[in-house]
Amino acid sequence: MLFVVVYDLRQRRVPNWLVLAGAVLALAALGLGMQPFGLEWTTALTGAAVGFGCLLLIYAAGYMGAGDVKFAGALGLWVGLFALLPIWVGASLLAGLHSAAWLALQRWPFSPRLALMLQGPASPVSSSAIDSDGSAPPKRRRIVPYAAYLAMATAVWMVWGRQS
């Protein structure tokens, strides 16, 4: 999860190899009976399907990156269906704070660099994305590193959420 946080905060993307490694480890832990949260196969697979499926709808609407969706699926394999709701709530609160801070700092004339830090790196336009008239198609910027916030909320859930 630490690698997801670092990648997503710095690059606003989560590499496929990282998500795949997490999913393979989760499946191996399930297969070897070493699942750290005591989940059964059905609970883990349901968590993966719901995590992936729910965020896939948000991705299809253009509000989320594909790495966030894939990470939510891999995360569901680890924590199962019932942990996803508190994790999503925590991650969404963090993402909302991130967005509010970015919006506020954009309008604050004293330090535009803080807003740029929250915005993340500029995404280059590839030559294949250039239209026939020479202009780039409009691309929605993904300012919020949601996978990083999912990982952070999961860490909090692992420490405090499981105690109930």
Side-chain angles (χ1 to χ4, degrees):
M1 287 191 314
L2 180 62
F3 289 128
V4 169
V5 171
V6 170
Y7 265 97
D8 207 18
L9 285 175
R10 294 187 78 191
Q11 299 178 14
R12 295 302 190 267
R13 61 182 295 275
V14 180
N16 287 335
W17 66 265
L18 188 54
V19 174
L20 185 60
V24 167
L25 285 172
L27 291 171
L30 280 164
L32 296 171
M34 299 173 63
Q35 212 288 336
F37 307 117
L39 299 181
E40 299 293 325
W41 277 95
T42 54
T43 307
L45 293 175
T46 304
V50 169
F52 184 86
C54 287
L55 294 190
L56 184 62
L57 296 173
I58 300 170
Y59 168 77
Y63 294 115
M64 182 171 285
D68 301 328
V69 178
K70 292 179 272 189
F71 179 66
L75 184 62
L77 279 174
W78 281 106
V79 301
L81 176 62
F82 299 109
L84 285 179
L85 183 60
I87 290 170
W88 278 341
V89 169
S92 296
L93 289 172
L94 290 171
L97 289 172
H98 181 111
S99 297
W102 178 74
L103 286 171
L105 288 171
Q106 274 193 314
R107 290 163 177 75
W108 194 35
F110 301 111
S111 185
R113 294 182 76 191
L114 290 175
L116 288 175
M117 285 174 42
L118 285 175
Q119 180 173 302
S123 42
V125 177
S126 67
S127 59
S128 64
I130 304 295
D131 287 342
S132 58
D133 65 354
S135 66
K139 184 177 179 185
R140 186 181 301 260
R141 285 195 52 97
R142 289 181 181 86
I143 293 168
V144 177
Y146 195 69
Y149 293 137
L150 279 173
M152 290 177 197
T154 302
V156 170
W157 172 82
M158 288 169 58
V159 173
W160 288 294
R162 296 182 40 230
Q163 294 178 6
S164 50

